[in-house]
Amino acid sequence: MKWFKRIIIALFSLALLGIAAIAAAYFYVLPELPDVNTLKTVKLQTPLRVYSSDGKLISQFGEKRRIPVAFDDVPPQLINAVLDTEDARFFEHHGIDPIGITRAAFILLTTGKKSQGASTITQQVARGFFLTREKTYIRKIKEIFLAIKIEKALSKEEILELYLNRSFLGNRAYGVGAAAQVYYGKELEQLTLPEMAMIAGLPQAPSAANPIRNPERATNRRNWVLSRMLEKNNITQAQYAAATQAPITAKYHGAEINLYAPYISEMARDYLVDKFGEEEAYTGGYNIYTSIDSRLQIYAQEALRDNVYAYDERHGYRGRTKVLWTDTPLDTDSIIARLKKTNAFQGMVPAAVLSVDELSAQVLTSEGEEIKIEWPGLNWARKFITNKRQGKAPKTATQILTPGEQVWVRNNGEFWQLSQIPKVSSAIVSLDPHDGAIRTLVGGFSFHTSQYNRVTQAKRQLGSNIKPFIYTAAMEKGYTLATLINNAPINKPDTRQGTAWRPKNSPDRYTGPTRLKMGLAQSINVMAVRAIRYASLDTAIETLIRFGFDPADLPKNESVALGSPSVTPLQVVTAFSVFANGGYKVEPYFIERIEDAYGDVIEKSNPTLACTPTPAAIIEETSEVDPFASMADELQAEPATPQPISLCGNSDSRYAPQIISEQTAFLITDALKSVIWGGGNWSKGTGWNGTAWRASRVVKRHDIAGKTGTTNESRDTWFSGFNPSLATTVWVGFDDHSQELGRTSWNANGAKDQISAAEAGAKTAGPAWNEFMKNALAGQPEVPSSPPDGIVSVRIDLATGKLSRKTDHTSKFEYFISGTEPTEFAPQAEEESNDIFIDESPEDLFQ
């Protein structure tokens, strides 16, 4: 009996000692225990994501891949797999598992080794958020007390949700949502049972059990998880048997990029880093929705790429990239292995020339595909000599290729062809002229080779793209579209420049007094110089500044009239938008909204609207029409007082300043339409169909207007244009300012001597604009040209710009701002009448 009492006393003493030890340990670590309530507002370091305006993922930034998921969105079988593997009694204990602790203690006493088996999911959450992974007794004590505190602060579901989202699962994937994407390219609900088991087995061994790096060990780990699920009756024997026999299908999946638009995603990334700093930007879970239209962006990228290829190929073939063998061919596997050292690039793939016939060649690609390139895919390859000279057209494939060479090939949409990496650069940008939303932006041919964004960073000479703004200044001073300007050599140069600057036309032809509209449409240089002299240099520069050009980029001399200022494509397309929207200078923007990790909008664009603000009184009085009113009610109702169909903005709206009148914008636009469509009957017999006649044949719309631009020695080429809903600018040139775009030479009709043509805006930049606008505007009805109030049309004599009653090719109807129309008849018509015939109908312009 005494022996029993002594045992009881000893056990009681040990219990008291244990309680005292636990209390002592608690108070010892208490000062170091963090506040577990922070878990209620924990941020999961979710990466930054950039989207198009229509929700297509453009890019993702951040070291950690994480796709946060709510507990209710996790498939039950995945939860079972995790609990059966990590903590089968999770919903029964209060943060620590006494059975697990006893088991770990027994292992420690019998083997001298520590075990992680006692850690509950709650303890793992405590360790993951607050502690290190080192195996020390003091850390374990902290972990236990933190787990108990966490269980009091959070529900079981909240704890498990943190665990499922926080765990590192290999390949930069944090959480089950990211793991499903990284390993299988799926959403959680799409996972199969063996895939769930694979993911559930990763937390304890994300590297050793990685299904991509160690498929054998990963299979063993997966099958063990499945055995635990079978043991816990969460799957049947049949399910277990089928799942353990399933093959390993895991492979690396990058972020689900739906739209490749790297230049705009870099702009968005830069914006957020500037706003929040790099750490917060990359981990705060922000979603940036840009103004980019995914459909238009794809069209822009394709148009730019195809146009750059076209320029590059018409200047000749620069030859192979390397020689893989000379006399003894390599075996197929060796060829493919060498080709795989070179990555595919902008639709081009590396290939080895296997054999060459007279008019074709057989090649092997890096993907192991044998392709026959027929003569249409080879005959472009004249030898490149310089940007100004190319060799004679090849007659056989053997003049171009030799077996053993490594070359580039691409599929142009119709057939496979020989290709090469272009050296020329290009940019394209388009925006909505009504609010400045950037709809497309391509800053170069390849972001992979150059992150330099030529849309926003490259300042290049504008060339004749500047002339619409120069003529705007002259028209605001009193010129009209019918004003005669002398198209003759300038013999009295502006001596203020310090040199005898004598501008010339290109081509060097002069026609004497010529109407302003024709001078702008035909891009006549000396007329632009005389227009700037009429308006005054100061006035012209002030006008350019109003259109958004930087005063620091505008030389204080008359060369401005010919496009000497260096500007960015974004500045140019913004300026041309003024003509498209009736005279308003909108602010370009590319971010529509930014959402935080919880989907709350923290920033939203408030664009400048190209319209006159609607008076508040009208907004208040305007009532909405009931869309469900019956037809009978409509027929019986008294005619209602007309209400405004659309209102411009609201009390929170911002409005773009109107920098030119709607009438002036209309007149310049009318002249710019002539650039594309020619002058109708006023150009008959002249051989001139419009400087940018290619646009009329490709886009096939009458509501488009535009202007070419070419600088001296063809170092920069431009095409800028618009219709009422979209403005677009294209630039083509070399990043090295000293390089000229050169000339293209060819033999016509079998002639021995080559014909040579210089690269220029219409030929070099124009095709990209044409192709893009054709696709971008496809399916949209043409917008009729309606002159605004204050515009009248009168029939004029084409030679003098004065009034005419003739209806033949010597006259046409022309638009004027009311009060500026001519009041005199041309000499041959003076005797007939002194009445002015005014017709305000726009249809007359199409005669």
Side-chain angles (χ1 to χ4, degrees):
M1 196 69 175
K2 290 182 179 180
W3 177 79
F4 179 73
K5 289 182 178 179
R6 288 175 181 174
I7 292 175
I8 295 299
I9 293 171
L11 290 174
F12 182 73
S13 299
L14 287 173
L16 289 176
L17 185 63
I19 293 172
I22 293 173
Y26 176 74
F27 285 106
Y28 177 77
V29 300
L30 180 61
E32 300 178 21
L33 294 180
D35 182 6
V36 297
N37 287 305
T38 58
L39 291 177
K40 294 180 178 180
T41 57
V42 69
K43 297 182 70 171
L44 290 174
Q45 295 186 317
T46 307
L48 162 65
R49 293 187 165 209
V50 181
Y51 295 89
S52 65
S53 62
D54 47 344
K56 300 292 179 65
L57 180 62
I58 295 176
S59 191
Q60 178 173 286
F61 298 94
E63 286 294 322
K64 299 178 179 179
R65 293 279 299 279
R66 182 178 273 117
I67 304 174
V69 293
F71 177 81
D72 292 338
D73 295 331
V74 181
Q77 279 292 51
L78 179 55
I79 292 176
N80 290 334
V82 170
L83 295 182
D84 293 346
T85 305
E86 297 293 330
D87 189 354
R89 287 176 290 276
F90 174 72
F91 282 100
E92 300 166 14
H93 61 64
H94 298 287
I96 59 174
D97 184 3
I99 297 175
I101 292 175
T102 302
R103 183 178 66 247
F106 178 77
I107 293 174
L108 177 62
L109 291 172
T110 56
T111 66
K113 296 180 180 180
K114 303 185 183 92
S115 171
Q116 288 183 321
S119 292
T120 64
I121 281 178
T122 312
Q123 286 177 264
Q124 292 182 54
V125 169
R127 182 171 64 240
F129 280 96
F130 301 117
L131 303 172
T132 65
R133 295 186 67 87
E134 61 178 339
K135 296 181 181 180
T136 63
Y137 292 111
I138 193 67
R139 192 226 68 190
K140 196 68 177 179
I141 292 171
K142 291 179 181 179
E143 182 182 292
I144 291 171
F145 288 130
L146 280 173
I148 295 171
K149 293 181 71 174
I150 290 172
E151 290 274 345
K152 292 180 179 180
L154 302 177
S155 68
K156 286 288 187 179
E157 289 77 9
E158 290 171 329
I159 295 169
L160 190 52
E161 182 177 302
L162 284 173
Y163 177 81
L164 293 171
N165 283 311
R166 175 81 180 205
S167 299
F168 175 59
L169 303 176
N171 285 96
R172 294 171 55 193
Y174 288 78
V176 294
Q181 173 60 47
V182 167
Y183 293 112
Y184 302 107
K186 296 180 177 181
E187 301 292 333
L188 280 179
E189 63 270 15
Q190 298 173 317
L191 293 175
T192 64
L193 175 60
E195 291 168 347
M196 293 182 192
M198 182 70 74
I199 290 174
L202 286 171
Q204 297 302 330
S207 296
N210 190 302
I212 297 175
R213 298 176 185 173
N214 301 304
E216 185 175 346
R217 294 187 65 177
T219 302
N220 294 335
R221 178 69 175 170
R222 178 199 69 181
N223 292 347
W224 183 82
V225 172
L226 289 167
S227 70
R228 291 287 296 162
M229 297 182 73
L230 178 64
E231 182 182 333
K232 296 296 181 180
N233 296 317
N234 284 317
I235 59 173
T236 65
Q237 184 66 44
Q239 288 175 310
Y240 170 79
T244 53
Q245 294 302 311
I248 297 296
T249 59
K251 63 179 181 179
Y252 182 77
H253 295 77
E256 276 190 292
I257 304 301
N258 306 121
L259 174 67
Y260 182 71
Y263 291 99
I264 198 73
S265 67
E266 272 298 297
M267 290 170 64
R269 183 195 69 84
D270 287 344
Y271 178 83
L272 207 67
V273 168
D274 288 343
K275 187 178 181 69
F276 294 123
E278 190 168 292
E279 177 65 23
E280 174 65 11
Y282 286 179
T283 63
Y286 298 100
N287 294 320
I288 298 180
Y289 288 85
T290 68
S291 57
I292 294 297
D293 183 304
S294 64
R295 181 182 67 91
L296 300 186
Q297 180 71 15
I298 292 171
Y299 290 148
Q301 290 170 171
E302 291 175 346
L304 182 143
R305 183 190 63 193
D306 292 346
N307 188 54
V308 166
Y309 277 135
Y311 165 86
D312 187 70
E313 289 167 6
R314 65 176 174 260
H315 284 263
Y317 180 53
R318 293 184 290 276
R320 68 200 179 208
T321 59
K322 64 178 71 172
V323 176
L324 299 178
W325 71 86
T326 52
D327 299 325
T328 305
L330 300 173
D331 61 84
T332 299
D333 290 340
S334 296
I335 295 173
I336 294 173
R338 295 193 182 189
L339 291 175
K340 283 188 176 295
K341 294 179 180 179
T342 304
N343 294 325
F345 181 82
Q346 285 293 77
M348 296 183 294
V349 294
V353 180
L354 300 179
S355 62
V356 183
D357 297 325
E358 183 178 5
L359 296 177
S360 65
Q362 197 79 14
V363 302
L364 177 68
T365 72
S366 56
E367 298 301 318
E369 181 182 4
E370 279 199 34
I371 295 171
K372 185 176 184 179
I373 302 180
E374 304 285 359
W375 186 239
L378 296 168
N379 61 7
W380 67 269
R382 294 174 296 154
K383 182 181 179 181
F384 172 85
I385 301 174
T386 69
N387 287 334
K388 294 183 179 181
R389 290 186 58 210
Q390 299 84 43
K392 293 182 178 180
K395 295 183 179 179
T396 65
T398 54
Q399 293 176 317
I400 305 168
L401 298 173
T402 301
E405 293 179 335
Q406 179 174 323
V407 297
W408 291 101
V409 297
R410 67 184 180 92
N411 192 318
N412 64 17
E414 297 180 10
F415 50 80
W416 282 93
Q417 69 169 83
L418 179 67
S419 193
Q420 62 188 1
I421 297 178
K423 294 184 176 180
V424 75
S425 297
S426 185
I428 182 171
V429 57
S430 60
L431 54 80
D432 185 332
H434 300 292
D435 65 2
I438 296 176
R439 296 306 185 195
T440 72
L441 187 148
V442 189
F445 176 74
S446 167
F447 184 81
H448 176 72
T449 57
S450 173
Q451 287 78 53
Y452 184 53
N453 189 337
R454 294 155 189 85
V455 169
T456 61
Q457 296 175 297
K459 288 191 173 184
R460 303 302 292 252
Q461 286 194 325
L462 188 52
S464 294
N465 248 202
I466 205 169
K467 288 175 181 173
F469 314 113
I470 300 301
Y471 283 112
T472 294
M475 292 183 70
E476 289 183 327
K477 274 297 191 75
Y479 273 1
T480 71
L481 294 181
T483 297
L484 295 183
I485 304 174
N486 196 12
N487 178 14
I490 293 178
N491 296 316
K492 292 182 179 180
D494 185 357
T495 56
R496 290 178 296 175
Q497 296 186 91
T499 59
W501 179 64
R502 288 185 171 84
K504 294 183 178 180
N505 289 340
S506 178
D508 196 15
R509 293 197 298 266
Y510 304 88
T511 57
T514 304
R515 285 173 295 110
L516 181 151
K517 185 175 186 177
M518 196 166 189
L520 175 55
Q522 294 191 351
S523 200
I524 299 173
N525 287 340
V526 295
M527 292 179 64
V529 174
R530 286 190 164 94
I532 203 173
R533 288 183 176 180
Y534 169 78
S536 85
L537 179 61
D538 290 341
T539 297
I541 289 177
E542 185 276 330
T543 301
L544 290 167
I545 293 171
R546 274 192 284 144
F547 274 91
F549 297 110
D550 189 339
D553 297 327
L554 305 176
K556 302 299 189 291
N557 58 63
E558 292 178 349
S559 69
V560 169
L562 305 185
S564 61
S566 294
V567 298
T568 67
L570 182 57
Q571 289 175 310
V572 177
V573 74
T574 304
F576 269 86
S577 294
V578 175
F579 302 126
N581 64 33
Y584 300 88
K585 182 185 172 297
V586 294
E587 295 176 9
Y589 72 95
F590 65 95
I591 293 179
E592 289 189 344
R593 71 182 187 277
I594 301 175
E595 296 179 357
D596 63 15
Y598 306 99
D600 296 325
V601 177
I602 62 171
E603 185 176 316
K604 188 176 182 180
S605 65
N606 187 14
T608 52
L609 304 180
C611 57
T612 301
T614 302
I618 296 180
I619 295 177
E620 293 175 0
E621 292 174 6
T622 303
S623 57
E624 295 184 1
V625 177
D626 180 3
F628 301 104
S630 67
M631 184 177 294
D633 290 340
E634 291 179 7
L635 292 174
Q636 296 174 9
E638 293 293 327
T641 303
Q643 298 290 337
I645 297 175
S646 62
L647 300 177
C648 178
N650 53 51
S651 59
D652 296 324
S653 297
R654 298 169 60 225
Y655 296 93
Q658 186 165 17
I659 62 169
I660 63 174
S661 70
E662 186 180 6
Q663 292 75 22
T664 300
F666 174 82
L667 295 177
I668 294 292
T669 298
D670 186 56
L672 294 177
K673 288 183 178 180
S674 298
V675 173
I676 294 173
W677 288 96
N681 61 353
W682 60 271
S683 60
K684 289 180 181 178
T686 65
W688 181 73
N689 295 316
T691 309
W693 55 268
R694 296 174 182 86
S696 65
R697 298 185 182 182
V698 175
V699 186
K700 298 178 181 178
R701 300 174 64 100
H702 285 83
D703 61 350
I704 55 174
K707 183 70 187 75
T708 58
T710 309
T711 63
N712 288 341
E713 297 159 333
S714 296
R715 286 188 169 88
D716 297 286
T717 58
W718 300 80
F719 196 95
S720 299
F722 53 89
N723 93 322
S725 64
L726 195 66
T728 303
T729 286
V730 176
W731 167 84
V732 179
F734 287 99
D735 288 333
D736 179 358
H737 288 231
S738 66
Q739 285 201 62
E740 301 175 22
L741 288 166
R743 310 178 72 85
T744 306
S745 55
W746 70 95
N747 292 77
N749 301 323
K752 293 183 179 180
D753 296 329
Q754 288 188 333
I755 298 174
S756 179
E759 298 290 343
K763 175 183 178 181
T764 312
W769 189 94
N770 300 342
E771 192 66 22
F772 168 70
M773 293 296 276
K774 178 191 76 173
N775 292 323
L777 301 177
Q780 295 185 19
E782 284 194 24
V783 181
S785 179
S786 300
D789 292 340
I791 291 289
V792 297
S793 65
V794 302
R795 185 176 287 278
I796 63 168
D797 174 65
L798 298 180
T800 64
K802 296 182 179 181
L803 297 174
S804 174
R805 281 203 184 86
K806 290 191 174 183
T807 58
D808 59 13
H809 66 277
T810 66
S811 68
K812 72 177 290 288
F813 278 96
E814 187 59 272
Y815 283 127
F816 296 87
I817 295 175
S818 181
T820 66
E821 66 274 12
T823 57
E824 298 180 6
F825 279 87
Q828 65 271 26
E830 281 183 350
E831 297 179 0
E832 299 178 19
S833 174
N834 288 321
D835 296 331
I836 299 175
F837 176 66
I838 298 179
D839 181 3
E840 301 186 60
S841 172
E843 287 78 13
D844 292 304
L845 286 186
F846 295 101
Q847 293 185 6

